[in-house]
Amino acid sequence: MQAEQEAQFQEFVRARWSHLVRTAYLLTGDAHHAEDLTQTALAKAYRSWRRVARADNPEAYVRRMLVSCNSDRFRKRRVPEALTAAPPEQAGRDAGYAGVDERGALLRALARLPPKQRAVVVMRYWEDLSEAEVADVLGCSVGTVKSQASKGLAKLRAFPGLSRMTSSGQGGSR
């Protein structure tokens, strides 16, 4: 990689690291897995940075890599996630984690969704992407996004402790 592209990649990582880790955290439900997932996606992005940088939206390209790496995690190991009674420790580096950690009930509910439904719900309602953008990131049809979002939201609404949030209008906001 040329020095100019190296600098461009480093700037991208500095500017988007926290946002990508936060998205990965919502996908995985674990701060350590989130950082590992983000590093894996960025390592793949680094190897093909010329192609990524030429994309209309490099962040969307890397986000798609993030979701793919998360899906690979389930395909390769088939290890169920271990849910814990307590939320993960505070990250400390990013004040954004504090807001995410305050939503313990929502995180526990997200952790119970199947990976594809969780990805759709996170991208659609947390990342505020359109159905078409989510379909592009996940490599599926808009209809699949709609059905997965509907199923995911129905499961979230049925989760104990979330009925108060969804009935007061707080369920889908950041």
Side-chain angles (χ1 to χ4, degrees), residues 37-83:
L37 185 63
T38 303
Q39 288 176 3
T40 300
L42 287 171
K44 289 182 177 188
Y46 179 82
R47 288 192 300 266
S48 57
W49 185 248
R50 287 182 184 148
R51 185 171 5 115
V52 173
R54 284 192 310 259
D56 290 337
N57 186 347
E59 183 179 355
Y61 198 107
V62 173
R63 189 183 299 126
R64 184 174 189 164
M65 291 174 137
L66 194 69
V67 172
S68 294
C69 289
N70 188 51
S71 296
D72 291 347
R73 187 170 69 99
F74 288 98
R75 272 188 224 120
K76 290 178 183 173
R77 289 189 235 145
R78 299 278 186 205
V79 177
E81 292 185 18
L83 301 176

Side-chain angles (χ1 to χ4, degrees), residues 5-140:
Q5 289 177 333
E6 177 83 27
Q8 185 184 34
F9 177 77
Q10 288 177 2
E11 180 57 33
F12 174 82
V13 171
R14 275 191 293 277
R16 302 313 303 156
W17 172 259
S18 295
H19 183 62
L20 291 169
V21 171
R22 197 169 14 260
T23 299
Y25 180 76
L26 292 167
L27 291 171
T28 64
D30 179 271
H32 300 293
H33 286 307
E35 288 189 0
D36 290 345
L37 185 63
T38 303
Q39 288 176 3
T40 300
L42 287 171
K44 289 182 177 188
Y46 179 82
R47 288 192 300 266
S48 57
W49 185 248
R50 287 182 184 148
R51 185 171 5 115
V52 173
R54 284 192 310 259
D56 290 337
N57 186 347
E59 183 179 355
Y61 198 107
V62 173
R63 189 183 299 126
R64 184 174 189 164
M65 291 174 137
L66 194 69
V67 172
S68 294
C69 289
N70 188 51
S71 296
D72 291 347
R73 187 170 69 99
F74 288 98
R75 272 188 224 120
K76 290 178 183 173
R77 289 189 235 145
R78 299 278 186 205
V79 177
E81 292 185 18
L83 301 176
T84 61
E89 67 278 358
Q90 292 283 339
R93 285 190 300 232
D94 186 349
Y97 273 112
V100 172
D101 287 339
E102 291 175 8
R103 295 167 178 87
L106 179 57
L107 293 177
R108 285 189 297 279
L110 279 172
R112 294 203 176 210
L113 293 179
K116 188 142 192 172
Q117 285 178 13
R118 183 189 310 182
V120 167
V121 169
V122 167
M123 297 291 156
R124 182 77 178 99
Y125 301 103
W126 200 282
E127 295 291 324
D128 201 27
L129 298 179
S130 70
E131 291 168 341
E133 290 170 321
V134 174
D136 185 49
V137 167
L138 297 178
C140 64

